[in-house]
Amino acid sequence: MNEQFVNELQMYLARHEYKKLYTVLIAEAYKEQTKGIQGEKRQLLAQIKDYENRLSKARKLVVTNQIDASDYREMKSDYGVIVTKLEAKLSSITN
């Protein structure tokens, strides 16, 4: 009985010559199904980078005395909250 069961299961194994085709088809299906998620992740990463660049520019303005340190701290606080929210959203998407 066990041998018959094993023989029956082996009938459903993929043939060696079809394995590459199955791999390609599964990869394409996965990419198609996760396309929206990948786009959203790219968008979130771009937004995070944008806020980090803004903060970097603000630091340069503080160094050159074009803005006050208090203004920089306020921007840093505001941007920090936004970046934290974006990173949390990114983390939830990734998981």
Side-chain angles (χ1 to χ4, degrees), residues 15-56:
R15 289 184 172 172
H16 182 68
E17 54 269 10
Y18 295 134
K19 285 186 179 181
K20 284 186 179 182
L21 175 63
Y22 291 152
T23 302
V24 169
L25 291 175
I26 290 171
E28 286 178 7
Y30 175 78
K31 287 178 185 176
E32 184 64 32
Q33 289 179 357
T34 61
K35 185 174 25 176
I37 293 171
Q38 297 300 327
E40 191 173 352
K41 284 171 71 173
R42 277 192 300 277
Q43 182 183 11
L44 288 170
L45 287 170
Q47 287 176 337
I48 290 169
K49 187 174 182 174
D50 178 51
Y51 281 105
E52 289 173 348
N53 287 338
R54 290 180 188 189
L55 197 55
S56 177

mmCIF file of all heavy atoms in Angstrom, residues 15-56:
data_model
loop_
_atom_site.group_PDB
_atom_site.id
_atom_site.type_symbol
_atom_site.label_atom_id
_atom_site.label_comp_id
_atom_site.label_asym_id
_atom_site.label_seq_id
_atom_site.Cartn_x
_atom_site.Cartn_y
_atom_site.Cartn_z
ATOM 1 N N ARG A 15 8.599 17.191 -14.008
ATOM 2 C CA ARG A 15 9.686 16.615 -14.789
ATOM 3 C C ARG A 15 10.857 17.577 -14.757
ATOM 4 O O ARG A 15 10.685 18.791 -14.704
ATOM 5 C CB ARG A 15 9.253 16.400 -16.227
ATOM 6 C CG ARG A 15 8.277 15.292 -16.386
ATOM 7 C CD ARG A 15 8.009 15.126 -17.859
ATOM 8 N NE ARG A 15 7.222 13.951 -18.116
ATOM 9 C CZ ARG A 15 6.724 13.664 -19.287
ATOM 10 N NH1 ARG A 15 6.938 14.470 -20.318
ATOM 11 N NH2 ARG A 15 6.016 12.579 -19.458
ATOM 12 N N HIS A 16 12.027 17.019 -14.824
ATOM 13 C CA HIS A 16 13.245 17.823 -14.746
ATOM 14 C C HIS A 16 13.276 18.883 -15.855
ATOM 15 O O HIS A 16 13.672 20.018 -15.616
ATOM 16 C CB HIS A 16 14.477 16.923 -14.822
ATOM 17 C CG HIS A 16 15.763 17.666 -14.710
ATOM 18 N ND1 HIS A 16 16.144 18.282 -13.553
ATOM 19 C CD2 HIS A 16 16.733 17.928 -15.628
ATOM 20 C CE1 HIS A 16 17.309 18.885 -13.743
ATOM 21 N NE2 HIS A 16 17.689 18.676 -14.997
ATOM 22 N N GLU A 17 12.855 18.540 -17.035
ATOM 23 C CA GLU A 17 12.911 19.488 -18.144
ATOM 24 C C GLU A 17 11.907 20.633 -18.000
ATOM 25 O O GLU A 17 12.035 21.667 -18.648
ATOM 26 C CB GLU A 17 12.718 18.784 -19.499
ATOM 27 C CG GLU A 17 11.473 17.945 -19.608
ATOM 28 C CD GLU A 17 11.655 16.486 -19.194
ATOM 29 O OE1 GLU A 17 12.706 16.140 -18.644
ATOM 30 O OE2 GLU A 17 10.729 15.711 -19.436
ATOM 31 N N TYR A 18 10.913 20.491 -17.136
ATOM 32 C CA TYR A 18 9.931 21.556 -16.920
ATOM 33 C C TYR A 18 10.266 22.461 -15.739
ATOM 34 O O TYR A 18 9.614 23.483 -15.545
ATOM 35 C CB TYR A 18 8.537 20.971 -16.696
ATOM 36 C CG TYR A 18 7.970 20.254 -17.903
ATOM 37 C CD1 TYR A 18 7.365 19.012 -17.757
ATOM 38 C CD2 TYR A 18 8.021 20.812 -19.172
ATOM 39 C CE1 TYR A 18 6.830 18.346 -18.843
ATOM 40 C CE2 TYR A 18 7.496 20.151 -20.268
ATOM 41 C CZ TYR A 18 6.898 18.918 -20.097
ATOM 42 O OH TYR A 18 6.370 18.276 -21.175
ATOM 43 N N LYS A 19 11.252 22.109 -14.949
ATOM 44 C CA LYS A 19 11.546 22.873 -13.737
ATOM 45 C C LYS A 19 11.919 24.325 -14.034
ATOM 46 O O LYS A 19 11.470 25.236 -13.344
ATOM 47 C CB LYS A 19 12.650 22.196 -12.923
ATOM 48 C CG LYS A 19 12.151 20.966 -12.200
ATOM 49 C CD LYS A 19 13.203 20.373 -11.290
ATOM 50 C CE LYS A 19 12.631 19.158 -10.592
ATOM 51 N NZ LYS A 19 13.581 18.554 -9.689
ATOM 52 N N LYS A 20 12.720 24.564 -15.066
ATOM 53 C CA LYS A 20 13.095 25.943 -15.414
ATOM 54 C C LYS A 20 11.859 26.737 -15.832
ATOM 55 O O LYS A 20 11.699 27.895 -15.451
ATOM 56 C CB LYS A 20 14.139 25.969 -16.529
ATOM 57 C CG LYS A 20 15.524 25.626 -16.076
ATOM 58 C CD LYS A 20 16.510 25.808 -17.193
ATOM 59 C CE LYS A 20 17.910 25.486 -16.711
ATOM 60 N NZ LYS A 20 18.911 25.689 -17.760
ATOM 61 N N LEU A 21 11.008 26.120 -16.620
ATOM 62 C CA LEU A 21 9.791 26.791 -17.064
ATOM 63 C C LEU A 21 8.910 27.141 -15.868
ATOM 64 O O LEU A 21 8.400 28.254 -15.764
ATOM 65 C CB LEU A 21 9.022 25.903 -18.041
ATOM 66 C CG LEU A 21 7.665 26.435 -18.501
ATOM 67 C CD1 LEU A 21 7.830 27.739 -19.276
ATOM 68 C CD2 LEU A 21 6.948 25.385 -19.344
ATOM 69 N N TYR A 22 8.720 26.201 -14.957
ATOM 70 C CA TYR A 22 7.920 26.467 -13.762
ATOM 71 C C TYR A 22 8.522 27.593 -12.927
ATOM 72 O O TYR A 22 7.815 28.451 -12.413
ATOM 73 C CB TYR A 22 7.794 25.214 -12.897
ATOM 74 C CG TYR A 22 6.943 24.111 -13.496
ATOM 75 C CD1 TYR A 22 7.181 22.785 -13.183
ATOM 76 C CD2 TYR A 22 5.905 24.388 -14.387
ATOM 77 C CE1 TYR A 22 6.407 21.770 -13.715
ATOM 78 C CE2 TYR A 22 5.131 23.381 -14.920
ATOM 79 C CZ TYR A 22 5.388 22.067 -14.580
ATOM 80 O OH TYR A 22 4.620 21.076 -15.109
ATOM 81 N N THR A 23 9.835 27.599 -12.813
ATOM 82 C CA THR A 23 10.512 28.644 -12.041
ATOM 83 C C THR A 23 10.258 30.011 -12.653
ATOM 84 O O THR A 23 9.948 30.972 -11.947
ATOM 85 C CB THR A 23 12.022 28.360 -11.980
ATOM 86 O OG1 THR A 23 12.229 27.071 -11.395
ATOM 87 C CG2 THR A 23 12.746 29.408 -11.161
ATOM 88 N N VAL A 24 10.364 30.111 -13.959
ATOM 89 C CA VAL A 24 10.132 31.379 -14.650
ATOM 90 C C VAL A 24 8.678 31.819 -14.485
ATOM 91 O O VAL A 24 8.402 32.984 -14.193
ATOM 92 C CB VAL A 24 10.511 31.262 -16.144
ATOM 93 C CG1 VAL A 24 10.030 32.459 -16.944
ATOM 94 C CG2 VAL A 24 12.007 31.084 -16.297
ATOM 95 N N LEU A 25 7.756 30.897 -14.657
ATOM 96 C CA LEU A 25 6.335 31.234 -14.540
ATOM 97 C C LEU A 25 5.974 31.684 -13.127
ATOM 98 O O LEU A 25 5.227 32.657 -12.944
ATOM 99 C CB LEU A 25 5.473 30.036 -14.948
ATOM 100 C CG LEU A 25 5.506 29.663 -16.430
ATOM 101 C CD1 LEU A 25 4.716 28.390 -16.685
ATOM 102 C CD2 LEU A 25 4.972 30.796 -17.282
ATOM 103 N N ILE A 26 6.497 31.006 -12.143
ATOM 104 C CA ILE A 26 6.212 31.383 -10.751
ATOM 105 C C ILE A 26 6.825 32.739 -10.434
ATOM 106 O O ILE A 26 6.202 33.575 -9.787
ATOM 107 C CB ILE A 26 6.716 30.281 -9.784
ATOM 108 C CG1 ILE A 26 5.838 29.046 -9.926
ATOM 109 C CG2 ILE A 26 6.709 30.781 -8.344
ATOM 110 C CD1 ILE A 26 6.357 27.826 -9.201
ATOM 111 N N ALA A 27 8.039 32.982 -10.901
ATOM 112 C CA ALA A 27 8.692 34.276 -10.660
ATOM 113 C C ALA A 27 7.906 35.407 -11.320
ATOM 114 O O ALA A 27 7.712 36.473 -10.718
ATOM 115 C CB ALA A 27 10.132 34.249 -11.174
ATOM 116 N N GLU A 28 7.444 35.193 -12.541
ATOM 117 C CA GLU A 28 6.651 36.214 -13.230
ATOM 118 C C GLU A 28 5.336 36.478 -12.503
ATOM 119 O O GLU A 28 4.915 37.623 -12.360
ATOM 120 C CB GLU A 28 6.382 35.798 -14.676
ATOM 121 C CG GLU A 28 7.581 35.923 -15.580
ATOM 122 C CD GLU A 28 7.285 35.460 -17.006
ATOM 123 O OE1 GLU A 28 6.115 35.164 -17.335
ATOM 124 O OE2 GLU A 28 8.246 35.396 -17.787
ATOM 125 N N ALA A 29 4.682 35.435 -12.044
ATOM 126 C CA ALA A 29 3.419 35.592 -11.320
ATOM 127 C C ALA A 29 3.644 36.347 -10.014
ATOM 128 O O ALA A 29 2.847 37.220 -9.644
ATOM 129 C CB ALA A 29 2.797 34.228 -11.043
ATOM 130 N N TYR A 30 4.734 36.034 -9.329
ATOM 131 C CA TYR A 30 5.051 36.728 -8.076
ATOM 132 C C TYR A 30 5.299 38.217 -8.334
ATOM 133 O O TYR A 30 4.776 39.074 -7.619
ATOM 134 C CB TYR A 30 6.282 36.098 -7.421
ATOM 135 C CG TYR A 30 6.739 36.829 -6.195
ATOM 136 C CD1 TYR A 30 6.075 36.677 -4.990
ATOM 137 C CD2 TYR A 30 7.831 37.700 -6.244
ATOM 138 C CE1 TYR A 30 6.483 37.360 -3.851
ATOM 139 C CE2 TYR A 30 8.239 38.388 -5.116
ATOM 140 C CZ TYR A 30 7.570 38.204 -3.920
ATOM 141 O OH TYR A 30 7.974 38.892 -2.808
ATOM 142 N N LYS A 31 6.078 38.527 -9.352
ATOM 143 C CA LYS A 31 6.365 39.931 -9.679
ATOM 144 C C LYS A 31 5.086 40.678 -10.029
ATOM 145 O O LYS A 31 4.901 41.826 -9.633
ATOM 146 C CB LYS A 31 7.363 40.021 -10.835
ATOM 147 C CG LYS A 31 8.773 39.661 -10.452
ATOM 148 C CD LYS A 31 9.703 39.735 -11.651
ATOM 149 C CE LYS A 31 11.089 39.262 -11.297
ATOM 150 N NZ LYS A 31 11.978 39.246 -12.472
ATOM 151 N N GLU A 32 4.212 40.020 -10.775
ATOM 152 C CA GLU A 32 2.953 40.654 -11.169
ATOM 153 C C GLU A 32 2.064 40.917 -9.956
ATOM 154 O O GLU A 32 1.458 41.984 -9.839
ATOM 155 C CB GLU A 32 2.214 39.776 -12.185
ATOM 156 C CG GLU A 32 0.957 40.382 -12.738
ATOM 157 C CD GLU A 32 1.204 41.644 -13.552
ATOM 158 O OE1 GLU A 32 2.266 41.755 -14.193
ATOM 159 O OE2 GLU A 32 0.325 42.518 -13.545
ATOM 160 N N GLN A 33 2.011 39.982 -9.038
ATOM 161 C CA GLN A 33 1.158 40.130 -7.863
ATOM 162 C C GLN A 33 1.711 41.134 -6.861
ATOM 163 O O GLN A 33 0.955 41.747 -6.126
ATOM 164 C CB GLN A 33 0.954 38.781 -7.177
ATOM 165 C CG GLN A 33 0.071 37.847 -7.971
ATOM 166 C CD GLN A 33 -0.100 36.503 -7.299
ATOM 167 O OE1 GLN A 33 0.486 36.226 -6.259
ATOM 168 N NE2 GLN A 33 -0.912 35.647 -7.897
ATOM 169 N N THR A 34 3.018 41.311 -6.818
ATOM 170 C CA THR A 34 3.623 42.221 -5.840
ATOM 171 C C THR A 34 4.045 43.548 -6.461
ATOM 172 O O THR A 34 4.684 44.353 -5.794
ATOM 173 C CB THR A 34 4.840 41.553 -5.172
ATOM 174 O OG1 THR A 34 5.820 41.241 -6.157
ATOM 175 C CG2 THR A 34 4.444 40.313 -4.405
ATOM 176 N N LYS A 35 3.661 43.781 -7.707
ATOM 177 C CA LYS A 35 4.059 45.004 -8.408
ATOM 178 C C LYS A 35 3.589 46.249 -7.656
ATOM 179 O O LYS A 35 4.342 47.200 -7.482
ATOM 180 C CB LYS A 35 3.517 45.000 -9.830
ATOM 181 C CG LYS A 35 3.964 46.160 -10.663
ATOM 182 C CD LYS A 35 3.562 46.112 -12.125
ATOM 183 C CE LYS A 35 2.365 45.301 -12.462
ATOM 184 N NZ LYS A 35 1.975 45.373 -13.870
ATOM 185 N N GLY A 36 2.362 46.244 -7.188
ATOM 186 C CA GLY A 36 1.832 47.392 -6.453
ATOM 187 C C GLY A 36 2.576 47.635 -5.161
ATOM 188 O O GLY A 36 2.888 48.777 -4.804
ATOM 189 N N ILE A 37 2.874 46.570 -4.458
ATOM 190 C CA ILE A 37 3.600 46.683 -3.194
ATOM 191 C C ILE A 37 5.007 47.217 -3.435
ATOM 192 O O ILE A 37 5.482 48.089 -2.702
ATOM 193 C CB ILE A 37 3.646 45.317 -2.476
ATOM 194 C CG1 ILE A 37 2.236 44.916 -2.034
ATOM 195 C CG2 ILE A 37 4.597 45.339 -1.290
ATOM 196 C CD1 ILE A 37 2.130 43.494 -1.521
ATOM 197 N N GLN A 38 5.667 46.718 -4.462
ATOM 198 C CA GLN A 38 7.025 47.175 -4.766
ATOM 199 C C GLN A 38 7.025 48.655 -5.127
ATOM 200 O O GLN A 38 7.916 49.410 -4.730
ATOM 201 C CB GLN A 38 7.638 46.339 -5.905
ATOM 202 C CG GLN A 38 7.803 44.872 -5.578
ATOM 203 C CD GLN A 38 8.694 44.622 -4.381
ATOM 204 O OE1 GLN A 38 9.639 45.356 -4.125
ATOM 205 N NE2 GLN A 38 8.389 43.590 -3.621
ATOM 206 N N GLY A 39 6.015 49.087 -5.875
ATOM 207 C CA GLY A 39 5.911 50.503 -6.233
ATOM 208 C C GLY A 39 5.696 51.370 -5.004
ATOM 209 O O GLY A 39 6.290 52.449 -4.876
ATOM 210 N N GLU A 40 4.854 50.893 -4.092
ATOM 211 C CA GLU A 40 4.610 51.653 -2.862
ATOM 212 C C GLU A 40 5.865 51.727 -2.003
ATOM 213 O O GLU A 40 6.173 52.767 -1.422
ATOM 214 C CB GLU A 40 3.461 51.016 -2.073
ATOM 215 C CG GLU A 40 2.973 51.858 -0.937
ATOM 216 C CD GLU A 40 1.731 51.290 -0.270
ATOM 217 O OE1 GLU A 40 1.150 50.318 -0.786
ATOM 218 O OE2 GLU A 40 1.348 51.828 0.779
ATOM 219 N N LYS A 41 6.614 50.628 -1.957
ATOM 220 C CA LYS A 41 7.867 50.638 -1.197
ATOM 221 C C LYS A 41 8.858 51.637 -1.787
ATOM 222 O O LYS A 41 9.497 52.392 -1.053
ATOM 223 C CB LYS A 41 8.485 49.229 -1.179
ATOM 224 C CG LYS A 41 7.783 48.278 -0.233
ATOM 225 C CD LYS A 41 8.257 46.855 -0.400
ATOM 226 C CE LYS A 41 9.630 46.619 0.097
ATOM 227 N NZ LYS A 41 10.010 45.184 0.086
ATOM 228 N N ARG A 42 8.966 51.662 -3.118
ATOM 229 C CA ARG A 42 9.868 52.622 -3.764
ATOM 230 C C ARG A 42 9.448 54.051 -3.459
ATOM 231 O O ARG A 42 10.281 54.915 -3.202
ATOM 232 C CB ARG A 42 9.900 52.393 -5.280
ATOM 233 C CG ARG A 42 10.834 51.292 -5.731
ATOM 234 C CD ARG A 42 11.042 51.305 -7.232
ATOM 235 N NE ARG A 42 9.823 51.124 -8.005
ATOM 236 C CZ ARG A 42 9.272 49.944 -8.281
ATOM 237 N NH1 ARG A 42 9.848 48.841 -7.850
ATOM 238 N NH2 ARG A 42 8.171 49.868 -8.989
ATOM 239 N N GLN A 43 8.139 54.299 -3.479
ATOM 240 C CA GLN A 43 7.633 55.636 -3.198
ATOM 241 C C GLN A 43 7.947 56.045 -1.757
ATOM 242 O O GLN A 43 8.383 57.172 -1.502
ATOM 243 C CB GLN A 43 6.127 55.681 -3.445
ATOM 244 C CG GLN A 43 5.515 57.042 -3.223
ATOM 245 C CD GLN A 43 4.004 57.032 -3.407
ATOM 246 O OE1 GLN A 43 3.382 55.981 -3.505
ATOM 247 N NE2 GLN A 43 3.424 58.214 -3.453
ATOM 248 N N LEU A 44 7.741 55.135 -0.808
ATOM 249 C CA LEU A 44 8.038 55.447 0.591
ATOM 250 C C LEU A 44 9.527 55.709 0.796
ATOM 251 O O LEU A 44 9.911 56.637 1.505
ATOM 252 C CB LEU A 44 7.561 54.313 1.500
ATOM 253 C CG LEU A 44 6.054 54.188 1.669
ATOM 254 C CD1 LEU A 44 5.700 52.889 2.391
ATOM 255 C CD2 LEU A 44 5.496 55.382 2.408
ATOM 256 N N LEU A 45 10.363 54.899 0.166
ATOM 257 C CA LEU A 45 11.804 55.100 0.288
ATOM 258 C C LEU A 45 12.220 56.442 -0.301
ATOM 259 O O LEU A 45 13.080 57.135 0.258
ATOM 260 C CB LEU A 45 12.558 53.955 -0.391
ATOM 261 C CG LEU A 45 12.524 52.614 0.340
ATOM 262 C CD1 LEU A 45 13.088 51.507 -0.544
ATOM 263 C CD2 LEU A 45 13.284 52.696 1.649
ATOM 264 N N ALA A 46 11.594 56.833 -1.402
ATOM 265 C CA ALA A 46 11.903 58.129 -2.013
ATOM 266 C C ALA A 46 11.479 59.272 -1.094
ATOM 267 O O ALA A 46 12.204 60.271 -0.956
ATOM 268 C CB ALA A 46 11.208 58.249 -3.366
ATOM 269 N N GLN A 47 10.329 59.129 -0.442
ATOM 270 C CA GLN A 47 9.868 60.168 0.478
ATOM 271 C C GLN A 47 10.801 60.279 1.685
ATOM 272 O O GLN A 47 11.136 61.388 2.117
ATOM 273 C CB GLN A 47 8.446 59.872 0.951
ATOM 274 C CG GLN A 47 7.402 60.099 -0.108
ATOM 275 C CD GLN A 47 6.010 59.711 0.375
ATOM 276 O OE1 GLN A 47 5.858 58.912 1.287
ATOM 277 N NE2 GLN A 47 5.002 60.290 -0.252
ATOM 278 N N ILE A 48 11.226 59.140 2.215
ATOM 279 C CA ILE A 48 12.153 59.149 3.358
ATOM 280 C C ILE A 48 13.453 59.838 2.959
ATOM 281 O O ILE A 48 13.973 60.687 3.688
ATOM 282 C CB ILE A 48 12.409 57.707 3.867
ATOM 283 C CG1 ILE A 48 11.147 57.159 4.534
ATOM 284 C CG2 ILE A 48 13.593 57.669 4.831
ATOM 285 C CD1 ILE A 48 11.199 55.677 4.843
ATOM 286 N N LYS A 49 13.965 59.494 1.787
ATOM 287 C CA LYS A 49 15.206 60.106 1.321
ATOM 288 C C LYS A 49 15.035 61.608 1.126
ATOM 289 O O LYS A 49 15.934 62.394 1.447
ATOM 290 C CB LYS A 49 15.654 59.450 0.014
ATOM 291 C CG LYS A 49 17.002 59.904 -0.457
ATOM 292 C CD LYS A 49 17.465 59.130 -1.666
ATOM 293 C CE LYS A 49 18.843 59.596 -2.057
ATOM 294 N NZ LYS A 49 19.403 58.802 -3.133
ATOM 295 N N ASP A 50 13.865 62.023 0.632
ATOM 296 C CA ASP A 50 13.598 63.439 0.432
ATOM 297 C C ASP A 50 13.652 64.189 1.759
ATOM 298 O O ASP A 50 14.291 65.243 1.858
ATOM 299 C CB ASP A 50 12.226 63.632 -0.223
ATOM 300 C CG ASP A 50 11.878 65.095 -0.410
ATOM 301 O OD1 ASP A 50 12.713 65.835 -0.972
ATOM 302 O OD2 ASP A 50 10.771 65.494 0.008
ATOM 303 N N TYR A 51 13.025 63.656 2.792
ATOM 304 C CA TYR A 51 13.046 64.329 4.089
ATOM 305 C C TYR A 51 14.444 64.324 4.704
ATOM 306 O O TYR A 51 14.846 65.298 5.346
ATOM 307 C CB TYR A 51 12.031 63.702 5.048
ATOM 308 C CG TYR A 51 10.628 64.178 4.783
ATOM 309 C CD1 TYR A 51 9.699 63.367 4.156
ATOM 310 C CD2 TYR A 51 10.235 65.471 5.126
ATOM 311 C CE1 TYR A 51 8.421 63.811 3.895
ATOM 312 C CE2 TYR A 51 8.957 65.927 4.870
ATOM 313 C CZ TYR A 51 8.054 65.089 4.256
ATOM 314 O OH TYR A 51 6.787 65.550 3.995
ATOM 315 N N GLU A 52 15.198 63.256 4.487
ATOM 316 C CA GLU A 52 16.575 63.233 4.983
ATOM 317 C C GLU A 52 17.427 64.278 4.258
ATOM 318 O O GLU A 52 18.277 64.926 4.878
ATOM 319 C CB GLU A 52 17.166 61.833 4.819
ATOM 320 C CG GLU A 52 16.563 60.831 5.791
ATOM 321 C CD GLU A 52 16.998 59.398 5.537
ATOM 322 O OE1 GLU A 52 17.593 59.117 4.463
ATOM 323 O OE2 GLU A 52 16.731 58.563 6.418
ATOM 324 N N ASN A 53 17.188 64.458 2.960
ATOM 325 C CA ASN A 53 17.909 65.490 2.206
ATOM 326 C C ASN A 53 17.533 66.893 2.681
ATOM 327 O O ASN A 53 18.391 67.768 2.783
ATOM 328 C CB ASN A 53 17.634 65.359 0.704
ATOM 329 C CG ASN A 53 18.333 64.174 0.092
ATOM 330 O OD1 ASN A 53 19.312 63.666 0.627
ATOM 331 N ND2 ASN A 53 17.820 63.710 -1.038
ATOM 332 N N ARG A 54 16.259 67.087 2.969
ATOM 333 C CA ARG A 54 15.823 68.391 3.489
ATOM 334 C C ARG A 54 16.520 68.705 4.807
ATOM 335 O O ARG A 54 16.965 69.833 5.034
ATOM 336 C CB ARG A 54 14.314 68.396 3.716
ATOM 337 C CG ARG A 54 13.495 68.373 2.466
ATOM 338 C CD ARG A 54 12.025 68.391 2.822
ATOM 339 N NE ARG A 54 11.188 68.193 1.660
ATOM 340 C CZ ARG A 54 9.871 68.344 1.679
ATOM 341 N NH1 ARG A 54 9.251 68.693 2.790
ATOM 342 N NH2 ARG A 54 9.176 68.137 0.584
ATOM 343 N N LEU A 55 16.610 67.702 5.666
ATOM 344 C CA LEU A 55 17.266 67.892 6.958
ATOM 345 C C LEU A 55 18.750 68.177 6.777
ATOM 346 O O LEU A 55 19.320 69.022 7.480
ATOM 347 C CB LEU A 55 17.053 66.662 7.837
ATOM 348 C CG LEU A 55 17.292 66.815 9.314
ATOM 349 C CD1 LEU A 55 16.468 67.955 9.895
ATOM 350 C CD2 LEU A 55 16.948 65.529 10.042
ATOM 351 N N SER A 56 19.358 67.512 5.827
ATOM 352 C CA SER A 56 20.770 67.759 5.544
ATOM 353 C C SER A 56 20.982 69.194 5.058
ATOM 354 O O SER A 56 21.935 69.871 5.485
ATOM 355 C CB SER A 56 21.261 66.766 4.489
ATOM 356 O OG SER A 56 22.587 67.021 4.145
#
